[in-house]
Amino acid sequence: MKKDTECVRAGYEPGNGEPRQIPIVQSTTFRYTTSEEMGALFDLEKAGYFYTRLQNPTNDNVAARITALEGGVAGMLTSSGQAANFFAVFNICEAGDHFVASSTIYGGTFNLFGVTMKKMGVECTFVDQDASEEEISAAFRPNTKCMFGETVSNPGVKVLDIEKFAKIAHAHGVPLIVDNTFPTPVNCRPFEWGADIVTHSTTKYMDGHGVAVGGAIVDSGNFDFAAYGDKFPGLNTPDESYHGIVYTRKFGKAGYITKATSQLMRDLGSIQSPQNAFYLGLGLESLHLRMPRHCANAQRIAEFLEAHPAVEWVSYPGLKSNKYYELGKKYCPNGTCGVLCFGLKGGRAAAEKFMDGLKLVRIYTHVADSQSCMLHPASHTHRQLTDEQLAAAGIDPSLIRFSLGIEDADDIIADITQALESK
């Protein structure tokens, strides 16, 4: 199936007399008639459902749709995008390990990697994603277990050179994990450019309507964890909590996701609720229709802002003046996303006054929504970062993140115009 059809149909095929829509299995537990049957599930000897914290049919059907869209072999849902990024890395890292990440990633993820995981004994080195291969390679260590980046960064909308990152990661024998939240698989499929694992904050475009927080992880199945037994012992040595099974040996290409589900979800419990998964499934059905509108609106408003005398700068990969224009065309030929950022003449103070004058565009701690919304990262999402960390993440204190919804572009421009005039 093509992507448009997969958005609507992948992951669930009803039989005779079964519901057209993915059913909401709103149950914590599942019944079996014999102890032996239940025991086989707990031993991972048979596939099935016994407790929703680990797996649920609603979640699995929606995860299968996202997996199909990304072209992966296995996937899982999590309670949030933050949980997805944490699980994706922690599934192959443990205390004493190290990984490398782009410095321009979302502030919450930056804090997760640089502060919280450091307390757990996992260290992250942040690198300039635009640096040379040699400079980035210098960050790797013998205990480096993976590399991480965002296809299009939040909030700087910087396009990752996926092929370059994949080449570097594979040269050091580690997988590349890419957060593909902003482009979604409608606009970019990182596996086709060498990425090994993809994460999503499904809260954003996949949901698309500000309804449900969630995340997803998809494994391409392309990285051979078994070939690096010493580097990834969690996947290649017996797991005594499951009677000594070896994930790569027993589950093959599904080993990575099976381990994340049976270990991390079992112990940490960051499951997406079946109700939220149902909402996500509805959002996916129109994803291929919404993304072109988001991108078209962003392109038009970026061009409008670039020409406005009150605007100091605009960053959007669709602008020919943008540093990432060529990379955007390469990895996202149909458009990157509906998010741009800009700064006004007058800096932080001008930004705050402008945002207070908006009427149609909302000030939300959100992005990638059907409604247009704005945020001032230095004051909101990234306020936990120091000025030095903001600079390292490429965030100007005057930066306004503008997420273009699917309203009429003329109405959006009218609102921006009156807010700039009132400024």
Side-chain angles (χ1 to χ4, degrees), residues 12-183:
Y12 175 66
E13 184 67 32
N16 289 336
E18 293 182 347
R20 172 264 187 228
Q21 186 54 264
I22 296 172
I24 306 170
V25 182
Q26 194 65 44
S27 180
T28 60
T29 50
F30 301 83
R31 176 183 180 265
Y32 290 88
T33 55
T34 69
S35 178
E36 182 180 359
E37 289 177 296
M38 183 71 81
L41 296 173
F42 274 95
D43 285 345
L44 304 183
E45 291 297 331
K46 289 186 178 180
Y49 302 98
F50 53 91
Y51 197 59
T52 283
R53 188 177 77 234
L54 278 88
Q55 286 181 288
N56 177 283
T58 307
N59 293 32
D60 282 358
N61 285 323
V62 177
R65 183 172 297 173
I66 296 172
T67 300
L69 283 166
E70 286 288 7
V73 298
M76 64 186 290
L77 300 186
T78 62
S79 58
S80 67
Q82 281 288 86
N85 285 335
F86 173 58
F87 277 21
V89 174
F90 198 59
N91 197 37
I92 47 180
C93 289
E94 56 189 47
D97 286 341
H98 170 262
F99 68 106
V100 176
S102 166
S103 63
T104 58
I105 56 178
Y106 166 61
T109 310
F110 190 101
N111 197 71
L112 167 67
F113 291 169
V115 178
T116 303
M117 291 189 71
K118 186 175 182 179
K119 295 176 182 178
M120 302 169 69
V122 179
E123 188 176 356
C124 179
T125 297
F126 294 100
V127 297
D128 178 357
Q129 68 180 49
D130 299 327
S132 68
E133 292 182 21
E134 293 73 23
E135 290 176 291
I136 296 173
S137 291
F140 283 74
R141 306 173 185 173
N143 62 337
T144 301
K145 298 300 178 69
C146 65
M147 193 176 192
F148 184 95
E150 291 178 355
T151 316
V152 178
S153 67
N154 177 11
V157 289
K158 298 181 178 181
V159 181
L160 183 72
D161 191 340
I162 304 172
E163 280 192 314
K164 180 179 79 172
F165 260 51
K167 179 181 178 182
I168 296 169
H170 296 160
H172 290 86
V174 302
L176 172 61
I177 303 173
V178 172
D179 185 330
N180 197 33
T181 296
F182 270 11

Side-chain angles (χ1 to χ4, degrees), residues 12 52 86 119 124 131 247 263 274 303 361-363 412 417:
Y12 175 66
T52 283
F86 173 58
K119 295 176 182 178
C124 179
Y247 290 99
Q263 279 189 0
E303 292 170 359
V361 178
R362 308 288 171 79
I363 300 175
I412 300 171
T417 300

Side-chain angles (χ1 to χ4, degrees), residues 3-4 183 185-188 291-296 299 316 328-337:
K3 282 185 287 186
D4 290 8
V186 170
N187 284 346
C188 181
M291 288 307 295
R293 180 60 173 260
H294 283 293
C295 292
Q299 183 68 33
Y316 184 65
K329 286 202 305 180
K330 174 180 177 178
Y331 294 117
C332 306
N334 297 319
T336 52
C337 62

Side-chain angles (χ1 to χ4, degrees), residues 206-217:
M206 285 187 168
D207 170 278
H209 304 85
V211 175
V213 174
I217 308 171

Side-chain angles (χ1 to χ4, degrees), residues 304-322:
F304 168 80
L305 289 170
E306 190 173 46
H308 199 285
V311 176
E312 184 73 34
W313 58 270
V314 182
S315 179
Y316 184 65
L319 295 174
K320 291 183 179 180
S321 60
N322 188 267

